[in-house]
Amino acid sequence: MRFWKILLLGIAGGAADYAMSLVTSGFGVGLYLDTIFTVTVTLSGGLGAGLAGALTYTALCRYDSWGIYLFGICSAAAAVLTCLFSRMFPAECGSLRIIGPPAEKKEREDLPPTILNIITVLALFSLTMCVLMSVLGGIIAWFIQAVLNAPLVDLPPETFFKLGLVRHNISLIAAEILARFPVNILDRIITVFTAYGTARLLVGLFRRKRKIR
């Protein structure tokens, strides 16, 4: 029964991320914001839910080139990183589980975390994810162009930064990585803090539902 709950939670998260990507692209926001709910369901249901969300989102996307689907690795990596942070900071992140056992708490984390602790952990989480997504996304983009010889024609938000770097004789792979940092800094801050808030909301709704029963 738990397996199906985790699976359904992951699918719902992936579908929500796909809907968010349509909104951001339709309004020309200039950010991805396509892993908010993958991070949310990972906090709520664990790594299995996060990977199911990443797979669902990637499957729902429609790309002209199959190589673009490799960016699904970034969504999966976001779920893995979220799971790691939940284990490293159980008081701040591990208490958001609504399916399955919560992360094990250490003795020093018996007391509820302060707002400052939560903000600090989420800021560190955002920065780490920014680095991971920039490096991983840059390598994948380089691989698609240099190895698969498939151009990225959808003009992603970091394109203008990349063109400026390439004009200064910076290698393509370095340009792809560095150009993602300005976008990912804001993108990942919004993603992490929104996902945390959504997961907290789900915990409240889940506890309220249990009390009603």
Side-chain angles (χ1 to χ4, degrees), residues 156-209:
E158 70 277 355
T159 297
F160 299 105
F161 297 106
K162 180 181 72 175
L163 292 177
L165 292 169
V166 171
R167 290 194 185 108
H168 286 80
N169 297 322
I170 295 179
S171 64
L172 178 61
I173 187 170
E176 287 287 358
I177 293 173
L178 294 174
R180 281 168 164 73
F181 276 93
V183 176
N184 274 327
I185 287 175
L186 180 58
D187 186 287
R188 296 304 150 179
I189 289 175
I190 295 175
T191 292
V192 168
F193 279 82
T194 303
Y196 179 86
T198 305
R200 291 281 299 184
L201 179 61
L202 289 177
V203 169
L205 293 174
F206 181 76
R207 289 175 179 173
R208 182 177 179 182
K209 183 178 180 181

Side-chain angles (χ1 to χ4, degrees), residues 130-150:
C130 171
V131 174
L132 177 63
M133 294 297 104
S134 297
V135 174
L136 189 56
I139 292 174
I140 293 173
W142 168 83
F143 180 83
I144 292 172
Q145 297 170 89
V147 179
L148 300 182
N149 197 27

Side-chain angles (χ1 to χ4, degrees), residues 28-50:
V29 175
L31 298 172
Y32 293 109
L33 303 178
D34 56 1
T35 56
I36 289 177
F37 298 102
T38 292
V39 174
T40 299
V41 298
T42 305
L43 292 171
S44 300
L47 181 59

Side-chain angles (χ1 to χ4, degrees), residues 66-83:
W66 67 268
I68 310 298
Y69 286 97
L70 292 174
F71 282 108
I73 297 173
C74 291
S75 296
V80 172
L81 182 63
T82 303
C83 183

